[in-house]
Amino acid sequence: RDADRRYTFATRNAKKAAEKGEMYPQSSPMVEVWEFKNDDAESHEALTKLMEAIKGASGDLSGEDKEAVEALLKIGIPPMGEKLEVFLPQQLVNQLHYAHNYLAKNMDEFKENHTEAETETVMKAAVEARTKAMVELTEKHVAARDEVEEDVKLMKSLFRSQSKDKYKTKADVLRSIWAELPKYLGKPVPPVDEELLADMEQIPAVQEGEFRHNWGIADKLYKSEAIDAFGMKYLLGVFDTPAEAEKAFVEWNTEYEKARADMKSEMQQWSKQENARLEADTSGADRIKKILEEARR
C-alpha cells in the first residue's frame, strides 16, 4: 500500500511541477545492493578513507538517513579480501552514474582535440562541477523522497484518526467540516441545506466494515489470487498477513477441487445413464439393420 501511495503523490507532484515548466526529482526510496571493491591494499585504503568521510558528515543527518549511516558505520570496513555490500538508493545511483558517464565521455572527446594543459584545466573544473552536481542531485532526491513520505504518513494518520464515538451520523461529520471551512476560505459559508442534513441523519457516521479499514491504514497488504484450469484469474481478497492470504487460497482451492470431483462424478453418472438409455432403445439399431437388409436385395 505504501508503494501505491508513494506513486500517487509522486505522480501528483510531478504533474504540478510540469504545469510550472519544472521537473520533479526522482523520489523512489527503493534500494539495491552494491558491492564495493575490497580485494587489494589500494581499494581497502580507499574504503577506509570513505568510511571516515561518512563518519565526519553523519553529524548533519537525521531520521532514517542517520539510522542508515549509523548502521553502516557499525558494520565497518571488512578485512581486505572480504565483500563489502551496501544498500544504496536505486534512482539516485542511476542518476549519479549517468552524470559520471556523461562527463567522462565529453572529457574523452575533449582530450582528442586539445593540449594536455587545456585538458588538465578543464578536468579540474569538471571535477568541481561533478561534485556540485552530485551534491545537488542527492539533496533534491532526499528532499523529494522525504516530501512524498510525509504525504504518505499524513494519509495513513488521517484514516487512523477515524473515531466511532466522535460522530454518530454523516450529518455530524458534515456539520464539523462546515464549521472548519471559513478558517480556510477566509469568508463565511452559507448554511447547510436542512433537507440534506435530515437525509444524512439517517446514515451512520461509520459504516459496517469500514472502521479503520486496512486499505487506508496498512503499510503493506497481501493479495491472494487463484487461476483455474481454463486460465481464469480470481481475486480472493486482500489481507493483512501472508498467512491470511494463504488461508484464503487453501479454502478456495479445497472448494474448487471438491467441485471438480463432484462434476466428474456427475459426468460419469450421466454417461452411465445415457449408455443404459441407448441400450434399452433399440429403435435406432433396428432401422439401421432394416436399411442394410434392403441394400443387400
Side-chain angles (χ1 to χ4, degrees):
R1 284 296 291 133
D2 276 352
D4 288 338
R5 296 183 186 103
R6 290 184 188 114
Y7 179 80
T8 298
F9 287 116
T11 303
R12 189 179 301 172
N13 292 344
K15 185 176 180 180
K16 288 179 181 178
E19 290 172 354
K20 300 176 184 177
E22 302 173 355
M23 295 184 68
Y24 192 73
Q26 294 287 347
S27 60
S28 171
M30 181 183 290
V31 294
E32 60 185 1
V33 176
W34 280 83
E35 181 180 329
F36 286 80
K37 181 178 171 64
N38 187 36
D39 56 2
D40 54 35
E42 184 180 355
S43 61
H44 184 73
E45 183 181 357
L47 285 177
T48 303
K49 290 181 178 178
L50 175 62
M51 192 66 74
E52 291 174 354
I54 292 174
K55 185 177 181 179
S58 62
D60 298 329
L61 300 176
S62 61
E64 294 181 1
D65 295 327
K66 187 175 182 63
E67 292 175 5
V69 169
E70 287 177 349
L72 176 61
L73 294 174
K74 186 176 181 180
I75 295 172
I77 303 298
M80 187 174 64
E82 294 185 12
K83 290 182 179 180
L84 174 61
E85 295 182 338
V86 180
F87 284 98
L88 296 175
Q90 184 189 68
Q91 292 296 333
L92 178 59
V93 170
N94 289 343
Q95 287 181 313
L96 295 177
H97 276 174
Y98 178 84
H100 173 78
N101 293 336
Y102 178 80
L103 181 61
K105 179 184 176 182
N106 281 275
M107 283 306 306
D108 289 340
E109 293 176 355
F110 186 85
K111 287 179 184 177
E112 295 175 359
N113 301 307
H114 295 81
T115 65
E116 186 175 335
E118 290 174 329
T119 300
E120 185 177 350
T121 301
V122 172
M123 180 65 77
K124 287 182 180 180
V127 170
E128 292 179 3
R130 182 182 64 184
T131 302
K132 183 179 179 182
M134 290 175 65
V135 171
E136 185 175 342
L137 285 171
T138 302
E139 289 177 345
K140 286 185 176 182
H141 169 78
V142 171
R145 181 202 65 189
D146 291 349
E147 181 183 17
V148 170
E149 204 62 31
E150 282 301 314
D151 289 336
V152 169
K153 291 178 181 177
L154 180 63
M155 179 62 70
K156 287 188 290 187
S157 68
L158 173 66
F159 282 98
R160 286 175 179 150
S161 68
Q162 187 179 18
S163 171
K164 285 185 176 179
D165 304 322
K166 192 170 183 180
Y167 305 110
K168 298 301 181 184
T169 68
K170 292 293 186 184
D172 295 333
V173 177
L174 181 58
R175 290 190 188 97
S176 177
I177 295 173
W178 220 252
E180 293 294 320
L181 280 178
K183 299 178 184 178
Y184 299 94
L185 297 177
K187 60 181 180 180
V189 293
V192 185
D193 183 74
E194 291 299 328
E195 291 185 8
L196 175 61
L197 283 175
D199 291 339
M200 297 185 75
E201 286 285 2
Q202 309 306 314
I203 307 173
V206 180
Q207 300 289 332
E208 182 74 24
E210 290 185 359
F211 182 67
R212 294 184 182 175
H213 196 282
N214 60 5
W215 192 256
I217 66 177
D219 299 337
K220 184 184 293 185
L221 292 172
Y222 300 87
K223 180 170 63 174
S224 183
E225 288 184 335
I227 302 175
D228 67 12
F230 302 99
M232 294 294 292
K233 185 180 288 188
Y234 303 89
L235 175 63
L236 308 182
V238 179
F239 304 92
D240 291 314
T241 64
E244 291 175 316
E246 184 177 353
K247 180 174 179 288
F249 174 79
V250 170
E251 290 175 352
W252 181 91
N253 193 56
T254 301
E255 289 295 322
Y256 179 73
E257 292 296 337
K258 182 178 180 298
R260 287 187 66 182
D262 291 345
M263 183 180 293
K264 183 178 180 181
S265 176
E266 290 173 2
M267 288 296 293
Q268 290 174 344
Q269 187 65 30
W270 177 82
S271 179
K272 290 177 181 179
Q273 291 173 353
E274 285 297 298
N275 288 333
R277 184 182 65 79
L278 292 173
E279 289 174 1
D281 183 6
T282 61
S283 59
D286 292 341
R287 283 197 300 271
I288 294 174
K289 287 179 182 179
K290 184 178 180 180
I291 292 171
L292 289 174
E293 289 175 357
E294 291 177 352
R296 291 193 190 103
R297 293 173 184 172

